[in-house]
Amino acid sequence: MSSAESPSKRTKANIPAKLTYFHGWGLAEQVRWVMAAGGVPFENVCLSTHKEFTDLRDEGKLLFGQLPLLEIDGLQLVQSQAMVRYVAAKAGLAGESPTEVAFVDMVAEGVRDARGKVVGYPFAQDLDAHLASLPAVIEKYFPRFESILAASKTGKVLASGDLTYADILMAECASGYETMSPGCVDAFPLLSKLTKEVFALPSVAAYLASPNRFPFPQGADGATYKDNVNAVLGR
């Protein structure tokens, strides 16, 4: 730390980020994983009532009137992908050159698209139909993830072998699918290996064992999460 850095900057740097969302996974879970992997301390602020949500909106903290909200470094960030990119850049997980950054962003966007079935799981009207739709999504995205990891020759997204937020999000996505469809990752050895490596990162393992971690939204946990979302949004 530079001696020229002001006390106010040092204090701000030591303040944990605040991630405001519902009591569960959803769009905030990717942000949690990237903060965990990057060693960025944070606290979950989980809303329970519609008034809490409208108060945030009326205070002007939600640029587009939506959650999640990440308060970090004096900023009020919305849109989950903007959050993960900011945290990744802050933690050195975004790539080094503009070319690397662009490629990592492309992969992360692909992961976001693939992850839709994880986000939608607790809201599925017909759970059997939702589960039956998983193989088509897996067949579309997982071979591409596997090819990306193979092409780099490092088992990670980048040929440098440097860990990026795209690796973290790929592992998080794979774990969600593995929960919904056990064994589905087994046919993709590089993706499976990467997922295990990410889970073994001390900071990620600590997050997964911490109170900040919510259970996968299935069964009673899923019903509770869905009720919470509906209550906060005033549905």
Side-chain angles (χ1 to χ4, degrees), residues 31 33 38 46 60 126 161 164-165 211 221:
V31 186
W33 277 63
C46 301
D126 184 335
T164 69
Y165 83 97
D221 291 324

Side-chain angles (χ1 to χ4, degrees), residues 103-171:
F103 186 68
V104 169
D105 285 349
M106 285 197 302
V107 175
E109 287 290 343
V111 173
R112 180 180 69 103
D113 291 344
R115 194 176 179 270
K117 292 293 183 180
V118 177
V119 176
Y121 183 89
F123 304 99
Q125 296 289 327
D126 184 335
L127 187 56
D128 289 337
H130 186 85
L131 293 174
S133 71
L134 298 183
V137 180
I138 291 169
E139 289 169 13
K140 178 179 180 180
Y141 289 101
F142 282 26
R144 288 177 166 85
F145 296 159
E146 190 77 2
S147 294
I148 290 166
L149 299 176
S152 72
K153 300 187 184 337
T154 63
K156 292 188 174 64
V157 167
L158 293 179
S160 66
D162 291 340
L163 183 71
T164 69
Y165 83 97
D167 298 296
I168 303 300
L169 298 187
M170 200 180 285

